[in-house]
């Protein structure tokens, strides 16, 4: 009787062990992933973002009209980046009390520019357009690689929310000329894909920034539509 009971106990222990191993193998979040540091997550996200073939982005401002570029104020932009090394950007500029629409596109090494004054697309050299500095791929890459002293700000079921600081110069591919100072940044990284989906940069980025409270200036970048089949057409067609 004792022998039979002992055998039953051993079988029960074995079955419970098998069940626990099965549950552990089905759980995609390991204890190792839960203990990753903020820096490790940024590095891993940076590696993943380099392999992204296409995406959509939006750049906007809060508590300031925009970023001054010579005589124009760059207010907001939306854009598409495709896996064929093509780009299409629509931007809003402020000129005094006027709101102007502009655009920038590259297709097969040809650059097109939507003139804010004539509202006509032109073939041009990218170095002479108001958006010649704009390279969102490099800008996003620098965001992830330039953050110093990163730490977790909050934790949700879907995102890692990480804050830190970075040189303003790291954002030159997104806003043009920058000042020589550090800015604060918060990023949102998707826990499943490790994609960078949002970044908010706080503070002064260039000498034209003017606000009663410089630290409340925000540049907001939203990124979506990762690896979708995005087709960018010739704007002159």
């Amino acid at each position: 009787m004792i022998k039979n009971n002992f055998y039953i106990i051993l079988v029960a222990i074995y079955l419970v062990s098998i069940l626990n191993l099965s549950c552990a193998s089905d759980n995609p979040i390991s204890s190792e992933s839960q203990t990753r540091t903020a820096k490790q997550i940024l590095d891993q996200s940076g590696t993943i973002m380099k392999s992204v073939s296409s995406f959509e982005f939006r750049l906007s401002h809060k508590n300031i009209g925009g970023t001054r570029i010579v005589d124009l104020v760059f207010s907001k932009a939306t854009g598409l980046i495709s896996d064929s090394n093509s780009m299409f950007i629509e931007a809003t500029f402020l000129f005094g009390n006027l709101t102007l629409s502009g655009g920038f596109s590259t297709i097969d090494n040809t650059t097109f520019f939507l003139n804010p004054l004539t509202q006509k697309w032109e073939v041009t050299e990218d170095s002479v357009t108001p958006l010649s500095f704009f390279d969102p791929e490099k800008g996003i890459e620098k965001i992830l690689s330039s953050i110093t002293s990163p730490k977790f700000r909050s934790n949700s079921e879907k995102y890692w929310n990480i804050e830190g600081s970075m040189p303003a110069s790291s954002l030159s591919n997104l806003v043009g000329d920058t000042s020589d100072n550090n800015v604060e940044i918060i990023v949102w990284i998707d826990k499943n894909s490790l994609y960078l989906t949002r970044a908010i940069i706080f503070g002064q980025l260039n000498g034209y920034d003017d606000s009663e409270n410089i630290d409340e200036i925000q540049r907001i970048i939203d990124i979506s539509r990762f690896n979708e089949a995005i087709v960018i057409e010739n704007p002159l067609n």
Side-chain angles (χ1 to χ4, degrees):
M1 183 70 176
I2 295 175
K3 183 178 179 180
N4 288 341
N5 289 340
F6 182 69
Y7 176 75
I8 292 172
I9 292 171
L10 287 178
V11 171
I13 292 173
Y14 174 76
L15 292 175
V16 170
S17 299
I18 293 297
L19 180 61
N20 286 338
L21 286 173
S22 175
C23 291
S25 64
D26 291 338
N27 188 354
I29 301 177
S30 66
S31 59
E32 181 182 357
S33 67
Q34 291 176 323
T35 57
R36 280 180 290 184
T37 66
K39 178 65 166 60
Q40 288 173 326
I41 291 170
L42 290 176
D43 291 342
Q44 291 167 356
S45 179
T47 299
I48 292 294
M49 291 299 293
K50 287 180 182 178
S51 66
V52 168
S53 60
S54 60
F55 61 88
E56 179 179 10
F57 71 91
R58 296 178 181 273
L59 172 63
S60 59
H61 295 74
K62 186 175 180 180
N63 299 325
I64 194 172
T67 300
R68 181 173 292 279
I69 305 169
V70 193
D71 293 328
L72 297 174
V73 175
F74 177 35
S75 178
K76 59 183 178 179
T78 60
L80 298 172
I81 309 296
S82 81
D83 56 1
S84 59
N85 201 28
S86 298
M87 175 172 59
F88 180 82
I89 299 167
E90 293 180 307
T92 299
F93 297 94
L94 305 177
F95 182 68
N97 294 325
L98 299 177
T99 300
L100 306 174
S101 297
F104 184 80
S105 181
T106 57
I107 302 173
D108 297 329
N109 296 319
T110 301
T111 300
F112 304 88
F113 173 58
L114 176 60
N115 191 312
L117 299 178
T118 66
Q119 289 298 290
K120 292 182 178 180
W121 284 96
E122 307 168 359
V123 177
T124 183
E125 297 290 334
D126 62 358
S127 60
V128 299
T129 72
L131 291 174
S132 59
F133 65 87
F134 206 58
D135 189 335
E137 286 183 287
K138 285 185 180 179
I140 290 168
E141 180 181 335
K142 286 183 178 180
I143 284 176
L144 290 167
S145 63
S146 301
I147 296 177
T148 59
S149 302
K151 61 182 180 180
F152 293 107
R153 177 183 175 89
S154 62
N155 192 18
S156 69
E157 184 176 345
K158 189 173 182 179
Y159 298 104
W160 278 296
N161 203 205
I162 298 173
E163 64 181 355
S165 61
M166 64 190 303
S169 58
S170 298
L171 296 159
S172 59
N173 293 112
L174 296 173
V175 299
D177 293 335
T178 58
S179 49
D180 185 20
N181 60 276
N182 286 347
V183 292
E184 301 301 311
I185 183 169
I186 303 173
V187 298
W188 282 253
I189 296 176
D190 187 282
K191 286 187 173 181
N192 291 323
S193 64
L194 286 175
Y195 291 148
L196 171 67
T197 60
R198 172 172 255 224
I200 301 181
I201 300 100
F202 298 84
Q204 181 181 17
L205 285 187
N206 64 34
Y208 293 108
D209 281 350
D210 185 17
S211 174
E212 291 184 1
N213 192 337
I214 208 79
D215 294 330
E216 292 184 1
I217 295 175
Q218 297 181 26
R219 270 92 175 180
I220 304 164
I221 303 166
D222 291 298
I223 311 167
S224 59
R225 298 184 62 185
F226 299 98
N227 294 325
E228 290 187 13
I230 294 174
V231 178
I232 297 176
E233 299 181 349
N234 188 322
L236 294 180
N237 292 342

